[in-house]
Every structure is written in C-alpha cells, then in structure tokens.
C-alpha cells in the first residue's frame, strides 16, 4: 500500500503534504530528510486513525513521490476494510479464534499473523491477504 506526497521547497526547507490525507504534513532540511519524515508522518497518522476508529481515505493521488505504508499498518487497514460492518467478535468466531486474538490483528502495533491465520482470514473474507 502506498500513498503519494508532494514535496515543495519553502524558505530553505522541503515541505511535505499528502493530498489524500489532509492532516499528514511534515518537512525536512533536505529532500532526503523530507522523504524520511514523510514515511514517519504517514505511518503515524494512519496508525492514529486506526486507534481512534477514524475513516482512512483510499490512496488516489498519483503525482509526487510514492511512500510505502508499513506492512503492519497496511495489514490492519486491509483487515478493517474487509471486516466492514461485522463486529470483531463475529469475525473471530467465524475464523475459529478468540476475540482477543482477532483484536490484536487489527492493531498495527501488535499484528503479526501467521500463515495459518492468514489462511483462516482469507476463508472468512473470501479474499486474499497474501499472494505468493
């Protein structure tokens, strides 16, 4: 999962903003530092949105620079989207796991699914989460 950002030189700094995520802005002293900071702010904002249950906008903007989302955060986002209106408890029961186990999967700081877990989730949601 990637989002694109624009980097604009301003007053000797490089200002970064993500058109798809209005509150994701940062800057750097160099373009390289700005790109590093862009990754940091993108992952921080997305993790915060997950934690607080805020909607996460789909990446649509294709200009500028591509910034890769952390795999753990991207997985948590995809899992939450796949769950849609079902409760975590409903999905956990259907996947044959405890509510707490499933809850950890949607937490970008704690998620670390095994291949077996990915297989179960693919069956529940009828969609792939891992393509080999």
């Amino acid at each position: 999962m990637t989002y694109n950002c624009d980097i604009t030189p301003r007053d000797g700094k490089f200002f970064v903003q993500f058109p798809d995520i209005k509150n994701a802005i940062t800057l750097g002293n160099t373009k390289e530092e700005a790109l590093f900071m862009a990754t940091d702010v993108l992952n921080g904002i997305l993790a915060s949105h997950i934690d607080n249950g805020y909607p996460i906008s789909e990446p649509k903007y294709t200009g500028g620079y591509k910034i890769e989302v952390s795999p753990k955060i991207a997985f948590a986002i995809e899992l939450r989207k796949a769950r849609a209106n079902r409760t975590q408890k409903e999905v956990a029961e259907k996947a044959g796991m405890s509510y707490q186990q499933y809850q950890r999967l949607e937490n970008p700081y704690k998620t670390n699914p095994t291949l077996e877990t990915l297989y179960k989730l693919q069956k529940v949601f009828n969609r792939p989460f891992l393509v080999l």
Side-chain angles (χ1 to χ4, degrees):
M1 169 181 266
T2 60
Y3 283 83
N4 288 28
C5 69
D6 287 324
I7 298 178
T8 311
R10 270 195 209 161
D11 300 325
K13 307 262 187 210
F14 292 86
F15 180 77
V16 179
Q17 76 182 103
F18 289 85
D20 292 325
I21 305 172
K22 299 296 179 203
N23 56 345
I25 56 173
T26 189
L27 59 87
N29 291 318
T30 65
K31 190 179 277 188
E32 292 75 26
E33 184 179 284
L35 285 167
F36 176 82
M37 296 301 290
T39 301
D40 194 46
V41 76
L42 175 64
N43 286 316
I45 291 286
L46 292 175
S48 174
H49 280 52
I50 292 167
D51 287 346
N52 293 299
Y54 298 152
I56 295 171
S57 59
E58 289 291 323
K60 293 182 176 104
Y61 179 64
T62 58
Y65 298 85
K66 287 183 184 247
I67 305 297
E68 190 75 28
V69 176
S70 156
K72 288 185 172 203
I73 293 171
F75 179 73
I77 291 169
E78 288 302 316
L79 196 55
R80 190 169 115 176
K81 283 192 312 191
R83 182 169 54 86
N85 294 326
R86 292 183 263 188
T87 67
Q88 289 180 334
K89 185 177 178 183
E90 289 171 330
V91 173
E93 287 173 356
K94 198 166 182 183
M97 62 180 69
S98 73
Y99 167 71
Q100 290 82 4
Q101 285 173 309
Y102 181 81
Q103 202 175 29
R104 274 193 300 273
L105 293 171
E106 283 194 24
N107 182 327
Y109 305 108
K110 296 181 180 179
T111 193
N112 194 16
T114 64
L115 289 174
E116 180 81 20
T117 300
L118 289 172
Y119 180 73
K120 288 178 184 179
L121 293 171
Q122 288 177 169
K123 286 193 166 283
V124 168
F125 295 119
N126 196 27
R127 63 165 278 200
F129 285 101
L130 177 68
V131 179
L132 297 173

